[in-house]
Amino acid sequence: MGYAEHEGHAEVRWIVGFGYDDAQLKEQRHPTRDDLDKVSRELPVVIVHQSGHLGAMNSKALELVGIKADTRIRRAA
């Protein structure tokens, strides 16, 4: 578990995981916010796929980075 301190912000501890492979998971799918909320609802959790091209966050992590249910996501052209 790592943590970071940013100017003007209190210390925030994050749970970070790297290298998951959805093909190797029992569910045969990518983890969801709800799956990661079971790990922790107090600490932000982020996991990165083995490809490095995608990942998932729990509700606390999404809150800290400012992503809400009504956040518009721009698609690449």
Side-chain angles (χ1 to χ4, degrees):
M1 178 173 14
Y3 66 92
E5 187 170 335
H6 300 281
E7 185 177 325
H9 298 280
E11 181 180 283
V12 176
R13 294 180 183 267
W14 286 69
I15 298 172
V16 180
F18 295 97
Y20 83 87
D21 180 0
D22 52 299
Q24 299 297 316
L25 297 177
K26 181 176 83 171
E27 298 83 0
Q28 293 287 299
R29 63 171 174 76
H30 297 283
T32 66
R33 175 196 67 198
D34 295 325
D35 294 328
L36 297 179
D37 281 348
K38 293 175 186 174
V39 175
S40 179
R41 293 193 66 78
E42 291 78 36
L43 294 174
V45 178
V46 61
I47 59 172
V48 180
H49 188 263
Q50 66 178 356
S51 69
H53 292 279
L54 55 115
M57 294 179 161
N58 72 344
S59 295
K60 186 65 176 181
L62 292 168
E63 172 190 327
L64 289 172
V65 299
I67 298 175
K68 303 174 186 167
D70 63 348
T71 301
R72 295 192 56 173
I73 305 298
R74 280 197 264 169
R75 304 280 181 210

